[in-house]
Amino acid sequence: MFNFKNAIAVLLITLTSPFVVAENLTIDDAWIREAPPVSRVQAAYAIFKNDQSSDIEIVSASSSAFKKIEFHKTISENGLTKMRQQASIAISAKESAVLKPEGMHMMLFNPVTPLRAGEKVDINFKLSNGNSMTSSFTVKKVSGSDHHQHMHH
Amino acid sequence: MSKSLFITLILTIIAVVSIVGITLYQSGRVDRSDLDNLSATVFRVPRIISPFELTDHTNKTFTQDSLKGNWSFIFFGYTNCPDVCPNTLSTMNVMATNLEKNQPDKVVPRFIMVSVDPERDTVEILSKYIPYFNNSFIGLTGTSSTQIDVITRQFGIPYFISKKSPDDAEYEVQHSGAILLVNPQGNLHALFSAPHDPAKLINEFNLIRYIHEQE
């Protein structure tokens, strides 16, 4: 028997699912390092917190503000500091993935327009289960004089 | 043991330790063992830097002689580096700001970034990049990797230009994250391995400098 309420519910879920925030994934301290005037690349950092009892995998990231976004990990090997591209960001059940300077980070290529400290940029994440979520990242300038200011935020 | 005897004993020990410490400091021998406990690697004999010629971000020639007269912290990097280089230059800026404020004798060292990507990092690019971090910082580049290699080889700094194809414009340059310290005589004095903590770098620099000035 046709159930109108259920049909609406199914329709709503179908229509909105690509935009639904994965309920148990939160993104904190999301920021983008302001690029020096000539740099065409910059890094984004955040803390991804998985509150559910199963693992979450972020398989890609995109933003209208950048040509492309890759996941990179800064590693030290044989005296060389290198960036190793990662296929995804895995967040184990009930754990957090921390993206931070000189560690795991997102590499943002070719900003459409140069971004200045204080501006906000949306980054969209696609998860391995097909869901996606969008989070707002704040551009920050990290330097001696405002280093502490950043810490307090 | 009576209380007064105990106190006398403690005071004697403190006095002996202090005298031995001061004597060893003055003899210039304990310096070395003190330096061994640092996270920095201090060269037993500072290394003479052979002639090199680079151009600074204001388009002036910079040679081994330009390093004389002041301490210099030197980092090797490139401007299209999203994470480690801006992070290290920010660390250096924290150090510079701190030393300007707190150093009693106002001895603020030079802070230099040598580009390991001369193909993209022209003088013009560096002239915009370097002052973003600090107006007193110095950026150095050359017209070819051969020119850069003269300094990286003798500083023991490995780097690798990792182009995926000949026309790859987004290439990464893998490089050492170390910061080197050159003394006012223009000799290579110490090496700090990454990761870098500005407070620790300042403390160790002050000790290295003190011991060097005693020698």
Side-chain angles (χ1 to χ4, degrees):
Chain A
M1 200 180 205
F2 183 78
N3 181 323
F4 189 70
K5 267 188 189 168
N6 282 354
I8 292 285
V10 167
L11 183 68
L12 274 177
I13 289 166
T14 314
L15 280 177
T16 56
S17 66
F19 310 101
V20 165
V21 167
E23 280 165 3
N24 298 307
L25 179 63
T26 49
I27 304 183
D28 289 321
D29 204 14
W31 64 286
I32 293 170
R33 184 195 293 281
E34 184 188 81
V38 294
S39 271
R40 282 168 301 168
V41 288
Q42 61 207 106
Y45 311 96
I47 299 167
F48 294 89
K49 194 161 172 254
N50 178 358
D51 280 326
Q52 66 188 40
S53 50
S54 57
D55 299 351
I56 292 175
E57 194 184 11
I58 301 171
V59 292
S60 68
S62 61
S63 169
S64 56
F66 298 96
K67 190 176 125 197
K68 73 173 169 181
I69 300 179
E70 291 178 357
F71 304 136
H72 284 208
K73 191 176 187 180
T74 298
I75 57 156
S76 198
E77 199 175 76
N78 302 324
L80 288 172
T81 300
K82 353 179 151 174
M83 290 188 297
R84 188 142 293 165
Q85 193 176 345
Q86 311 285 308
S88 63
I89 299 171
I91 314 136
S92 304
K94 303 281 180 195
E95 301 228 357
S96 295
V98 181
L99 276 63
K100 60 174 198 300
E102 309 210 9
M104 184 82 177
H105 59 270
M106 284 183 272
M107 180 150 168
L108 318 172
F109 289 85
N110 300 55
V112 175
T113 55
L115 300 167
R116 291 293 139 234
E119 288 185 61
K120 290 186 190 302
V121 173
D122 278 349
I123 295 182
N124 181 266
F125 299 99
K126 285 203 163 45
L127 311 184
S128 59
N129 66 4
N131 281 348
S132 70
M133 67 182 289
T134 298
S135 189
S136 176
F137 282 64
T138 306
V139 180
K140 291 181 183 181
K141 180 176 178 176
V142 184
S143 62
S145 50
D146 56 13
H147 188 73
H148 295 283
Q149 196 186 326
H150 165 66
M151 293 309 199
H152 292 167
H153 280 197
Chain B
M1 195 188 289
S2 79
K3 200 179 170 188
S4 61
L5 181 64
F6 179 71
I7 290 169
T8 311
L9 185 67
I10 294 294
L11 288 177
T12 311
I13 291 171
I14 291 171
V16 169
V17 169
S18 309
I19 290 165
V20 169
I22 291 164
T23 312
L24 285 175
Y25 240 119
Q26 286 170 344
S27 76
R29 266 184 211 158
V30 82
D31 305 352
R32 290 293 144 200
S33 64
D34 263 3
L35 296 175
D36 287 346
N37 296 326
L38 301 182
S39 62
T41 304
V42 182
F43 302 117
R44 256 164 219 290
V45 178
R47 296 184 194 166
I48 291 166
I49 299 168
S50 310
F52 68 84
E53 190 179 312
L54 296 169
T55 308
D56 78 9
H57 69 287
T58 65
N59 209 23
K60 289 197 195 93
T61 302
F62 194 101
T63 69
Q64 72 287 349
D65 287 333
S66 315
L67 288 168
K68 291 177 182 165
N70 194 359
W71 292 87
S72 308
F73 282 101
I74 307 182
F75 170 70
F76 293 79
Y78 66 113
T79 67
N80 275 292
C81 167
D83 186 43
V84 173
C85 308
N87 211 41
T88 307
L89 287 163
S90 295
T91 297
M92 285 178 153
N93 186 41
V94 175
M95 291 172 68
T97 312
N98 223 299
L99 286 166
E100 273 160 28
K101 271 193 204 140
N102 303 322
Q103 199 78 330
D105 53 5
K106 304 278 172 208
V107 171
V108 180
R110 292 185 196 100
F111 290 90
I112 300 169
M113 183 183 96
V114 179
S115 172
V116 285
D117 185 16
E119 186 181 324
R120 288 183 297 192
D121 290 345
T122 58
V123 168
E124 199 200 333
I125 292 281
L126 286 187
S127 74
K128 290 175 183 150
Y129 183 82
I130 296 294
Y132 173 82
F133 294 96
N134 188 308
N135 269 324
S136 66
F137 283 10
I138 300 165
L140 300 179
T141 190
T143 48
S144 69
S145 290
T146 324
Q147 210 179 338
I148 305 293
D149 291 345
V150 177
I151 182 163
T152 54
R153 284 217 183 101
Q154 48 179 330
F155 277 46
I157 293 292
Y159 73 95
F160 176 69
I161 295 176
S162 139
K163 281 192 185 181
K164 287 169 190 145
S165 63
D167 56 353
D168 180 5
E170 289 175 348
Y171 60 89
E172 181 199 348
V173 184
Q174 302 174 349
H175 60 97
S176 164
I179 295 178
L180 292 139
L181 181 65
V182 173
N183 66 29
Q185 289 71 46
N187 298 325
L188 187 56
H189 200 94
L191 176 149
F192 300 87
S193 299
H196 304 294
D197 169 34
K200 199 175 187 180
L201 277 161
I202 289 175
N203 285 339
E204 299 204 350
F205 163 64
N206 280 331
L207 183 71
I208 291 168
R209 189 185 143 210
Y210 174 78
I211 290 171
H212 181 64
E213 283 167 2
Q214 302 303 305
E215 278 174 350

